[in-house]
Amino acid sequence: RGLLGDARCGRGEGRVGYGPRVAGVMSMFGFSKKKNDGSVKSGSEPRKALSTGRSSKSLARNSTALGGSRVSSGRRRNGGYDETDYGELFDEGALETNAEEGYDSDTEAEVGEKYVRRPRPVEGPVERATDGGFLHRQPCAPSLIPPTGHHPAANAQSKPTHELQLDFVYGYRAHDTRHNLHYNADGSIVYPAAGVGVCYDSNEHAQRFFTAHTDSILCLAMHPDGEIVATGQAGKDPSICVWSSTTCELLAELKGFHQRAVVSLSFDGSGRFLVSIGLDDDHSIAVHDWQTRRMLASSKGDGNRIFNAEYNPHDGRIVTGGVKHIKFWVMEGGYLIGRRGVYGKIGAASTILSIAFHPDGSTLTGTQSGTIYQWAVGGEQCLQKYEALHQGPVHDIFVNDEYVVTGGKDGKVHFMTHYFEIAFTVDMGRVVETITDSQGKPLCCYDGKTPCVKAICLQGTSLLVGTKGSEIFEFDMSTETSWRVNRRIVTQGHASCVDEKTRSQSCELKGLTTHPFLPQFVTAGDDKTLRVVDMYQRRQIAVRNVSSKARSATYSPDGDFIACGFQGGGFIVFETATGNEVCAKKHRRETISCLRFSPDGRWLAVGSHDNFVDLYDTRRSYKRSGVCKGHSSYVTHLDWSEDGRFLQSNSGDYELLFWEVPKCQPVRFPSSMKDTRWDSWTCAVGWPVQGIWPKHAAGADVNATDRSKDGEVCAVADDHGLVKLFRYPSDVGRGEYRGYLGHAPGVSNVCFSHNDEFLITTGANDRCAFQWRHYETDEGDEEMTSEVEEECLTAVEDYEDFAVSNQVVKMVVVGKSGGIPVYAPADALDAKPHPEIPEGSGLDPGSRLAFLPCAPSIFAPDGYLREPDALAPCMEAAELEFAHGYRAHDTRDNVFYTARGEVVYHTAALGVVYDRETNTQRFLTDTPTTETVTGHCDDILCVARHPTGSIFATGEVGRNPKVLVWSSDDTKKPLVSLQGFLKKAVVSCTFSRDGALLCAVGADHNHSLVVYRWQTGTMLASSKGSPEKIVSVNWSPFQDYVVTCGIKHLAFWSTSPFESRKAVLNKKGKMQTMLCVCFPGPDTTVVGTQDGSLYLFKGYQLATNMRRCHSVTHAVFATRDTIVSGGKEGSVKFWTIDLMQCLKEVSLSHPHANGSCIKSLDLANSMLLIGTRSGEIYEMDTTSYSHTLLLQGHGYGTIWGLATHPSEHQFVTVGDDCTVRVWDLGSRRMLLVRDLGARGRSVAYHPDGSQIAVGLAGGGLVVLSADSLDTMHAKKDREEPIHEVKFSPNGAYLAAGSHDNHVDIYDVNKQFGRTGVCKGHASFVRHLDWSSDSTILQSVSGDFDAMFWEAPGGKQIAFPADARNVDWGTWTSVVGWPVQGILPKYSMGTDVLSCDRSRTRTIVATGDAFGCLKLFQYPAHKGAAARVFGGHSSKVTNVRFTFDDMYVITVGADMTVMQWRLVL
């Protein structure tokens, strides 16, 4: 066992019957049980009120002085005492004085809380006619005008088909309760939050919920079996629920006795009985047999507030504690008999906040002053007083066999021996300082105060601590110090605080906003914090302190900024990424209740409680540009129109006003706004939300609304604790809804996530944020396959991370040339020359190498004379001859036949036209040295064929991506370039059936669609597409309608007007990720789905569902009599036009292919083109169903390694697709391929061409036969990637440079035994070169340091000048004397990734981070001019000349191998 061993809850095994000790209490009271006839049993005449001889009057006077209830002398009825008098009659407290405990704001606020609730209004019946609705009786009635031609849907008043399921709760109730945190028998953590009982599984980071309560849960008790839980709530008629913490099923509900609230619960040792305390004026106590749902006994408790009640597991008594109150109770004969504790001379009457039981059976009580009292076993006498254990209230005590653990307001958790000697302390104040986010900023916020501990629980070596700040921490207590490191946050919510004026809890949570395209939301509360939560991680990831109570928040449309409104009237805007303040404004004195950015981010509208809406210009440092005046009450909600020209606002008296922006003039005629399309709908008053209001609403029954992004439903925050879901628009008198419990009364805000996957709600008073999973009833859960997830999710991130045009560098002006500013990278200007550049250095004047660590190693060879034309460009040029590759991992439908029978597809930044007969290619490619657009400069993602078959359109990745329309007959220059509307990437495009129009879809947050008249470049229409990715857009060749499909998206678009209609599945299918579309005929559409089905639609309604045709249906193609489908498993299926019969199934296979997932199909005459995800293009003869492999390339992942054969026109490549491939330059085909089982990073040929060495990403090294790729040797001396391998020119040695900064040298002739290790680099080794005589090795590291080594021993050459005259067999290092000119001006070395010197030593070729191949004269001096060639779309990772300098080969991160011919 650890420090705490097998600690268990110290509440022991109790019993129902009571022994002699407890029975003796009856005689101590002098009480005899009453007979049924009212006489007194056991003889004696009715006794006096007190057995001590004191008068009842004098004791009553002393009792009143103690703050307790007066002691009654009892009322004689039929010779006995009335049942209701027992609690008062035997309330014999001692005569001690009150303890001086001082003032505690938390306790005072808790005592004053009455949990008064406003009655729920009558909902009224469902009404279709709007005339009888609530809003038609309000000032907004004249503005409730439907759009032109609109008619309410037939089911507008019925419940929506969408539903919510509680996914996660952020928060914990502790500000007015304590001792409510437990482990259950399964190890789950059980606690209350708002009106929900939460069971948290720490292994899965998931929650289960008990949601039968209708109001805030104020107390929680754990059954001795560790499974059953009892919870009590607030409310006029509060209920006690007993439920299972493993199944969250209700076992029993007890209600009818208590009023206002149930504030404490406890099970007895057997688990049969349950004691409860109410919040009525007498703070009544009751004992229940919860299994039979009977109340066994009850009594008045005290006129003062009672905080808790606990069963003593040792003797079965009940102990209650409260304000100047402690009582010990027994149940006998159906009556509860209580007696006050006697402090005697040890102490004074104190406010008891916590109760626990010592292993010896005595009672321990914690007080408001920080003192703990110990009470006699079986008695009421105080035995011991332990002072000043805490500075302030002791809120919880936990006892096990080894320790007494206490937690208090001072933030300390003390572990004490059973003799109350402190063994060690967990200081929560220090804990919260050490828990930080990814930027090192605190994740816990207490505004400078120490966290107040309200609950503790210990199980085994795990400690739970709950704080008043709505946070739960879990610690590993296996040693006395392990808690300092091994701790984590279970949950976090907004904190509470006390208003010192009213002495009541005053904090609320009202501000809420979701990120425009990330799964994150922000809450803003009265605790002066904004908290950022990740919905997928289900964790708070950042917190920001603000200067005032925060009441509202909103994200900017690009997600870069957050605006927050304060209760005091100001607002702040800060950067999302850094938290830096952008501006702070205060033009109002009252609460800023709502803020909202315009859709284009230009304007910020701010609504306040002084009835105004202020408009700020974000482009002018948030200068106020106007004020919207006209409301007669405080502003509650704001919404912008889609075009940003209009603003609508609600007020507290149910007004709906419209404003013209930026003039801020009211729109005089609301009818003119009826056809306006609103970017969002959060207004609670308006035409589409009439049906959300109860018929007899009174006051603020609806606090907030939000329309889902797909416009299907509207979520409503109810003031009485319900979250409601209505159809949208709810243009009826009163609509039906789906209601969900969980929050306490006062749901303050609702907001859908960017993709409608989640709904976030906040509670004003419970200060919890609820994350609900939002789904359609027939939708079900969908788990994406790996390749679909890669295309739909991962690829979208890659568009931003790896696109060349997104590689932004901060620039500063360094001067002017001809009046034009000259810019330089800001980082480069901060660089300083190396301080140790020796005399006689070979650095050229102005060389960028002077700023790099290699500067001291740069020396010119002796006797070198620079040629006069050394800076001129080389005479040779590179002409792209062939590209091996085909992009399909994140795209589809991108292989086509031309009208001439050629094949068009794309790879990297190339549009490729392939001639099958001659095995040659033509390219649409960018020319970097020209100003005009000649091709793409970034990854091409899509291609579309014109109806003529000779014109094609391609779309690219980029911040401002282009769509190029070009002819396959002449690829030298595109016909037109379309640019400006779509952002991030063009993921799919399609021509209209007559070829005049082009429709394309982007990868922006709304996946917008645009329609162009492409010949003139005119944009005809645009629209938002879907919050989730659209993977394909297709125009019907028979009619003018467009179909889009994507993640849980399938829509049919009319072209005039350009509007969508969602597909109707009619329960024949389910909404899931739709991947591909084809059109067999008019009004007929076939869709391939992620579950492998084929859906056939007639119009927009599903007619036929051919289930599970493939594992995933990735491609479909249709003719008038046949439908062809292709799937993940590599099978091609031919179907009848109605999908009723599969005519033929063919499986793809080829010995050189590593995969067969089909992503594209195109049929011309009898020939079928097939594109696969792994980079192959096949052609199938549909008459014989035989297929041939036309083209292939590497699969998904960067190609890193490249080597050319020493004497033949062959080369070898390796990459992240785990393959090694040998290619032939003459035939332009791949010769050999082998799966390595690991990612390859480097490759080299032996000088005689017989062996190939491959360096692996895992640190391994394999040597293969060049003829068969069979393994000859395998080594693994490193754990990190082998970035470079090189054979020595004499073939005797192999050098391998790794990511762990070392170079290993192996003896080829001695079974590759290691002969030396080169140690000295401070970064990973990236380049190696041998001297011609194989005696010296040079290496360059990731920090651009150059070193020289003696081979084969690996001893470093101490003086780089000694190597200046070495004749190098190769030169592939990007730094060194002969390549100073390859680095661009202001470069810090990272621009150039690879280089190679020609065999004639006249040219050096480089590959850079921007996809360019450059040719320089060798040696390349500073200022040398280059010839630049485009084609790659991202970094060129390697470049090599062939043995005869006839070709240059380049490979890149774009998965493409390019074969360039050198020409003069």
Side-chain angles (χ1 to χ4, degrees), residues 675-714:
D675 293 324
T676 301
R677 298 175 66 174
W678 297 98
D679 185 63
S680 62
W681 193 284
T682 61
C683 286
V685 173
W687 165 78
V689 292
Q690 299 173 76
I692 70 175
W693 287 86
K695 184 176 180 64
H696 304 289
D701 293 297
V702 174
N703 292 327
T705 64
D706 191 34
R707 178 188 67 192
S708 62
K709 302 301 185 290
D710 63 5
E712 295 288 323
V713 291
C714 177

Short mmCIF file of all heavy atoms in Angstrom, two decimals, residues 675-714:
data_model
loop_
_atom_site.label_atom_id
_atom_site.label_comp_id
_atom_site.label_asym_id
_atom_site.label_seq_id
_atom_site.Cartn_x
_atom_site.Cartn_y
_atom_site.Cartn_z
N ASP A 675 -38.02 39.97 -46.83
CA ASP A 675 -37.27 39.01 -47.64
C ASP A 675 -35.77 39.03 -47.34
O ASP A 675 -34.98 38.41 -48.05
CB ASP A 675 -37.49 39.30 -49.13
CG ASP A 675 -38.92 39.03 -49.56
OD1 ASP A 675 -39.52 38.08 -49.03
OD2 ASP A 675 -39.44 39.79 -50.40
N THR A 676 -35.40 39.76 -46.30
CA THR A 676 -33.98 39.82 -45.92
C THR A 676 -33.53 38.47 -45.37
O THR A 676 -34.23 37.83 -44.57
CB THR A 676 -33.76 40.91 -44.85
OG1 THR A 676 -34.19 42.16 -45.38
CG2 THR A 676 -32.29 40.99 -44.46
N ARG A 677 -32.34 38.04 -45.80
CA ARG A 677 -31.77 36.79 -45.30
C ARG A 677 -30.80 37.13 -44.18
O ARG A 677 -29.86 37.90 -44.37
CB ARG A 677 -31.07 36.04 -46.42
CG ARG A 677 -32.02 35.64 -47.53
CD ARG A 677 -31.31 35.01 -48.71
NE ARG A 677 -30.71 33.73 -48.37
CZ ARG A 677 -30.13 32.93 -49.27
NH1 ARG A 677 -30.08 33.28 -50.54
NH2 ARG A 677 -29.60 31.79 -48.88
N TRP A 678 -31.03 36.54 -43.00
CA TRP A 678 -30.28 36.88 -41.81
C TRP A 678 -29.14 35.90 -41.61
O TRP A 678 -29.33 34.68 -41.70
CB TRP A 678 -31.20 36.92 -40.60
CG TRP A 678 -32.24 37.99 -40.74
CD1 TRP A 678 -33.52 37.83 -41.15
CD2 TRP A 678 -32.05 39.40 -40.53
NE1 TRP A 678 -34.16 39.05 -41.20
CE2 TRP A 678 -33.28 40.03 -40.83
CE3 TRP A 678 -30.97 40.17 -40.12
CZ2 TRP A 678 -33.45 41.41 -40.73
CZ3 TRP A 678 -31.13 41.55 -40.01
CH2 TRP A 678 -32.35 42.15 -40.31
N ASP A 679 -27.97 36.43 -41.34
CA ASP A 679 -26.78 35.60 -41.16
C ASP A 679 -26.91 34.69 -39.95
O ASP A 679 -26.39 33.57 -39.95
CB ASP A 679 -25.55 36.50 -40.99
CG ASP A 679 -24.27 35.71 -40.93
OD1 ASP A 679 -23.93 35.04 -41.92
OD2 ASP A 679 -23.60 35.74 -39.87
N SER A 680 -27.58 35.14 -38.93
CA SER A 680 -27.86 34.33 -37.75
C SER A 680 -29.25 34.72 -37.26
O SER A 680 -29.81 35.73 -37.69
CB SER A 680 -26.82 34.58 -36.65
OG SER A 680 -26.86 35.94 -36.24
N TRP A 681 -29.79 33.91 -36.37
CA TRP A 681 -31.05 34.31 -35.73
C TRP A 681 -30.96 33.97 -34.25
O TRP A 681 -31.06 32.81 -33.85
CB TRP A 681 -32.26 33.63 -36.36
CG TRP A 681 -33.51 34.32 -35.87
CD1 TRP A 681 -34.10 34.21 -34.65
CD2 TRP A 681 -34.27 35.31 -36.57
NE1 TRP A 681 -35.17 35.05 -34.54
CE2 TRP A 681 -35.31 35.74 -35.70
CE3 TRP A 681 -34.19 35.87 -37.84
CZ2 TRP A 681 -36.26 36.70 -36.08
CZ3 TRP A 681 -35.12 36.82 -38.21
CH2 TRP A 681 -36.15 37.22 -37.35
N THR A 682 -30.71 35.02 -33.46
CA THR A 682 -30.69 34.87 -32.00
C THR A 682 -31.77 35.70 -31.34
O THR A 682 -31.90 35.67 -30.10
CB THR A 682 -29.32 35.29 -31.44
OG1 THR A 682 -29.07 36.67 -31.77
CG2 THR A 682 -28.20 34.44 -32.03
N CYS A 683 -32.52 36.45 -32.11
CA CYS A 683 -33.58 37.28 -31.56
C CYS A 683 -34.73 36.41 -31.07
O CYS A 683 -35.18 35.50 -31.78
CB CYS A 683 -34.09 38.27 -32.62
SG CYS A 683 -32.95 39.64 -32.93
N ALA A 684 -35.20 36.69 -29.87
CA ALA A 684 -36.31 35.93 -29.31
C ALA A 684 -37.65 36.45 -29.80
O ALA A 684 -38.69 35.83 -29.55
CB ALA A 684 -36.26 35.99 -27.77
N VAL A 685 -37.62 37.59 -30.48
CA VAL A 685 -38.83 38.20 -31.01
C VAL A 685 -38.64 38.35 -32.51
O VAL A 685 -37.66 38.96 -32.96
CB VAL A 685 -39.10 39.57 -30.36
CG1 VAL A 685 -40.25 40.27 -31.05
CG2 VAL A 685 -39.38 39.41 -28.87
N GLY A 686 -39.57 37.80 -33.29
CA GLY A 686 -39.47 37.91 -34.74
C GLY A 686 -40.41 36.95 -35.42
O GLY A 686 -40.98 36.04 -34.78
N TRP A 687 -40.56 37.13 -36.72
CA TRP A 687 -41.51 36.28 -37.46
C TRP A 687 -41.20 34.79 -37.35
O TRP A 687 -42.10 33.99 -37.11
CB TRP A 687 -41.52 36.73 -38.94
CG TRP A 687 -42.18 35.71 -39.81
CD1 TRP A 687 -43.51 35.49 -39.95
CD2 TRP A 687 -41.51 34.72 -40.59
NE1 TRP A 687 -43.72 34.42 -40.79
CE2 TRP A 687 -42.51 33.93 -41.19
CE3 TRP A 687 -40.17 34.42 -40.83
CZ2 TRP A 687 -42.20 32.87 -42.04
CZ3 TRP A 687 -39.87 33.37 -41.67
CH2 TRP A 687 -40.89 32.61 -42.26
N PRO A 688 -39.93 34.32 -37.50
CA PRO A 688 -39.72 32.87 -37.51
C PRO A 688 -39.71 32.22 -36.13
O PRO A 688 -39.52 31.01 -36.04
CB PRO A 688 -38.35 32.73 -38.19
CG PRO A 688 -37.66 34.01 -37.97
CD PRO A 688 -38.69 35.05 -37.78
N VAL A 689 -39.90 33.01 -35.06
CA VAL A 689 -39.85 32.43 -33.71
C VAL A 689 -41.11 32.74 -32.92
O VAL A 689 -41.11 32.75 -31.68
CB VAL A 689 -38.60 32.91 -32.94
CG1 VAL A 689 -37.34 32.34 -33.55
CG2 VAL A 689 -38.52 34.44 -32.89
N GLN A 690 -42.20 32.94 -33.61
CA GLN A 690 -43.45 33.25 -32.91
C GLN A 690 -43.93 32.08 -32.07
O GLN A 690 -44.48 32.25 -30.98
CB GLN A 690 -44.53 33.63 -33.92
CG GLN A 690 -44.20 34.85 -34.75
CD GLN A 690 -45.22 35.07 -35.85
OE1 GLN A 690 -46.34 35.55 -35.60
NE2 GLN A 690 -44.86 34.73 -37.08
N GLY A 691 -43.70 30.88 -32.58
CA GLY A 691 -44.25 29.71 -31.91
C GLY A 691 -43.47 29.24 -30.70
O GLY A 691 -43.87 28.27 -30.05
N ILE A 692 -42.36 29.90 -30.36
CA ILE A 692 -41.56 29.43 -29.21
C ILE A 692 -42.09 29.97 -27.89
O ILE A 692 -41.67 29.52 -26.83
CB ILE A 692 -40.09 29.82 -29.37
CG1 ILE A 692 -39.90 31.34 -29.22
CG2 ILE A 692 -39.54 29.32 -30.71
CD1 ILE A 692 -38.45 31.78 -29.24
N TRP A 693 -43.01 30.94 -27.94
CA TRP A 693 -43.48 31.58 -26.71
C TRP A 693 -44.72 30.88 -26.16
O TRP A 693 -45.62 30.53 -26.91
CB TRP A 693 -43.83 33.04 -26.99
CG TRP A 693 -42.62 33.90 -27.21
CD1 TRP A 693 -41.95 34.09 -28.38
CD2 TRP A 693 -41.92 34.64 -26.21
NE1 TRP A 693 -40.87 34.92 -28.19
CE2 TRP A 693 -40.83 35.29 -26.86
CE3 TRP A 693 -42.09 34.85 -24.84
CZ2 TRP A 693 -39.94 36.11 -26.18
CZ3 TRP A 693 -41.22 35.67 -24.16
CH2 TRP A 693 -40.15 36.28 -24.82
N PRO A 694 -44.77 30.69 -24.83
CA PRO A 694 -46.01 30.18 -24.23
C PRO A 694 -47.16 31.15 -24.49
O PRO A 694 -46.95 32.37 -24.61
CB PRO A 694 -45.67 30.11 -22.72
CG PRO A 694 -44.20 30.12 -22.65
CD PRO A 694 -43.71 30.91 -23.84
N LYS A 695 -48.34 30.63 -24.57
CA LYS A 695 -49.48 31.47 -24.91
C LYS A 695 -49.70 32.56 -23.87
O LYS A 695 -50.06 33.68 -24.18
CB LYS A 695 -50.74 30.61 -25.04
CG LYS A 695 -51.98 31.38 -25.49
CD LYS A 695 -53.15 30.46 -25.70
CE LYS A 695 -54.40 31.22 -26.14
NZ LYS A 695 -54.23 31.87 -27.45
N HIS A 696 -49.46 32.20 -22.60
CA HIS A 696 -49.69 33.15 -21.52
C HIS A 696 -48.37 33.50 -20.85
O HIS A 696 -48.23 33.45 -19.62
CB HIS A 696 -50.68 32.58 -20.50
CG HIS A 696 -51.98 32.18 -21.10
ND1 HIS A 696 -52.91 33.10 -21.56
CD2 HIS A 696 -52.51 30.96 -21.38
CE1 HIS A 696 -53.96 32.46 -22.06
NE2 HIS A 696 -53.74 31.16 -21.96
N ALA A 697 -47.39 33.83 -21.65
CA ALA A 697 -46.07 34.18 -21.11
C ALA A 697 -46.17 35.43 -20.24
O ALA A 697 -46.99 36.32 -20.48
CB ALA A 697 -45.09 34.42 -22.25
N ALA A 698 -45.33 35.44 -19.21
CA ALA A 698 -45.30 36.59 -18.31
C ALA A 698 -43.84 36.86 -17.96
O ALA A 698 -43.19 36.03 -17.35
CB ALA A 698 -46.12 36.32 -17.05
N GLY A 699 -43.34 38.00 -18.36
CA GLY A 699 -41.94 38.30 -18.07
C GLY A 699 -41.02 37.62 -19.06
O GLY A 699 -41.41 37.24 -20.17
N ALA A 700 -39.79 37.42 -18.63
CA ALA A 700 -38.75 36.88 -19.53
C ALA A 700 -38.78 35.36 -19.51
O ALA A 700 -37.90 34.72 -18.96
CB ALA A 700 -37.38 37.40 -19.13
N ASP A 701 -39.80 34.77 -20.12
CA ASP A 701 -39.88 33.31 -20.16
C ASP A 701 -38.92 32.72 -21.17
O ASP A 701 -38.52 31.57 -21.05
CB ASP A 701 -41.31 32.87 -20.50
CG ASP A 701 -42.28 33.23 -19.39
OD1 ASP A 701 -42.12 32.70 -18.28
OD2 ASP A 701 -43.16 34.08 -19.61
N VAL A 702 -38.56 33.49 -22.19
CA VAL A 702 -37.56 33.06 -23.17
C VAL A 702 -36.36 33.98 -23.02
O VAL A 702 -36.45 35.18 -23.27
CB VAL A 702 -38.12 33.12 -24.61
CG1 VAL A 702 -37.02 32.80 -25.61
CG2 VAL A 702 -39.28 32.15 -24.77
N ASN A 703 -35.23 33.41 -22.61
CA ASN A 703 -34.03 34.22 -22.39
C ASN A 703 -33.15 34.34 -23.62
O ASN A 703 -32.46 35.34 -23.80
CB ASN A 703 -33.21 33.63 -21.24
CG ASN A 703 -33.92 33.77 -19.91
OD1 ASN A 703 -34.63 34.74 -19.69
ND2 ASN A 703 -33.73 32.80 -19.03
N ALA A 704 -33.11 33.28 -24.44
CA ALA A 704 -32.22 33.30 -25.60
C ALA A 704 -32.69 32.28 -26.61
O ALA A 704 -33.36 31.29 -26.26
CB ALA A 704 -30.78 33.01 -25.19
N THR A 705 -32.33 32.49 -27.87
CA THR A 705 -32.61 31.53 -28.93
C THR A 705 -31.39 31.46 -29.85
O THR A 705 -30.56 32.37 -29.87
CB THR A 705 -33.83 31.95 -29.77
OG1 THR A 705 -33.54 33.18 -30.44
CG2 THR A 705 -35.06 32.12 -28.92
N ASP A 706 -31.33 30.40 -30.62
CA ASP A 706 -30.31 30.31 -31.67
C ASP A 706 -30.80 29.36 -32.74
O ASP A 706 -31.29 28.26 -32.44
CB ASP A 706 -28.98 29.83 -31.11
CG ASP A 706 -27.85 29.98 -32.12
OD1 ASP A 706 -27.89 30.94 -32.91
OD2 ASP A 706 -26.94 29.13 -32.14
N ARG A 707 -30.68 29.78 -33.99
CA ARG A 707 -31.04 28.95 -35.13
C ARG A 707 -29.84 28.08 -35.50
O ARG A 707 -28.70 28.55 -35.48
CB ARG A 707 -31.42 29.85 -36.31
CG ARG A 707 -31.78 29.12 -37.60
CD ARG A 707 -31.93 30.11 -38.73
NE ARG A 707 -30.67 30.72 -39.08
CZ ARG A 707 -30.55 31.80 -39.87
NH1 ARG A 707 -31.62 32.38 -40.37
NH2 ARG A 707 -29.35 32.30 -40.14
N SER A 708 -30.09 26.82 -35.80
CA SER A 708 -29.00 25.95 -36.23
C SER A 708 -28.43 26.44 -37.55
O SER A 708 -29.10 27.16 -38.30
CB SER A 708 -29.49 24.50 -36.37
OG SER A 708 -30.50 24.41 -37.36
N LYS A 709 -27.19 26.07 -37.82
CA LYS A 709 -26.53 26.55 -39.03
C LYS A 709 -27.21 26.05 -40.30
O LYS A 709 -27.17 26.70 -41.33
CB LYS A 709 -25.06 26.13 -39.02
CG LYS A 709 -24.28 26.62 -37.82
CD LYS A 709 -24.27 28.12 -37.69
CE LYS A 709 -23.39 28.62 -36.55
NZ LYS A 709 -23.93 28.33 -35.21
N ASP A 710 -27.84 24.87 -40.21
CA ASP A 710 -28.55 24.36 -41.40
C ASP A 710 -29.97 24.90 -41.50
O ASP A 710 -30.70 24.59 -42.44
CB ASP A 710 -28.56 22.84 -41.40
CG ASP A 710 -29.33 22.24 -40.22
OD1 ASP A 710 -29.94 23.01 -39.44
OD2 ASP A 710 -29.30 21.01 -40.06
N GLY A 711 -30.38 25.72 -40.54
CA GLY A 711 -31.69 26.36 -40.59
C GLY A 711 -32.85 25.44 -40.36
O GLY A 711 -34.00 25.79 -40.68
N GLU A 712 -32.62 24.29 -39.73
CA GLU A 712 -33.69 23.32 -39.54
C GLU A 712 -34.41 23.49 -38.21
O GLU A 712 -35.61 23.24 -38.12
CB GLU A 712 -33.11 21.89 -39.61
CG GLU A 712 -32.55 21.51 -40.97
CD GLU A 712 -33.64 21.29 -41.99
OE1 GLU A 712 -34.70 20.76 -41.63
OE2 GLU A 712 -33.44 21.66 -43.16
N VAL A 713 -33.71 23.88 -37.16
CA VAL A 713 -34.30 23.95 -35.83
C VAL A 713 -33.87 25.23 -35.13
O VAL A 713 -32.89 25.88 -35.53
CB VAL A 713 -33.91 22.73 -34.96
CG1 VAL A 713 -34.54 21.46 -35.47
CG2 VAL A 713 -32.40 22.60 -34.87
N CYS A 714 -34.59 25.54 -34.08
CA CYS A 714 -34.27 26.69 -33.24
C CYS A 714 -34.23 26.21 -31.80
O CYS A 714 -35.17 25.56 -31.32
CB CYS A 714 -35.33 27.77 -33.42
SG CYS A 714 -35.10 29.22 -32.38
#
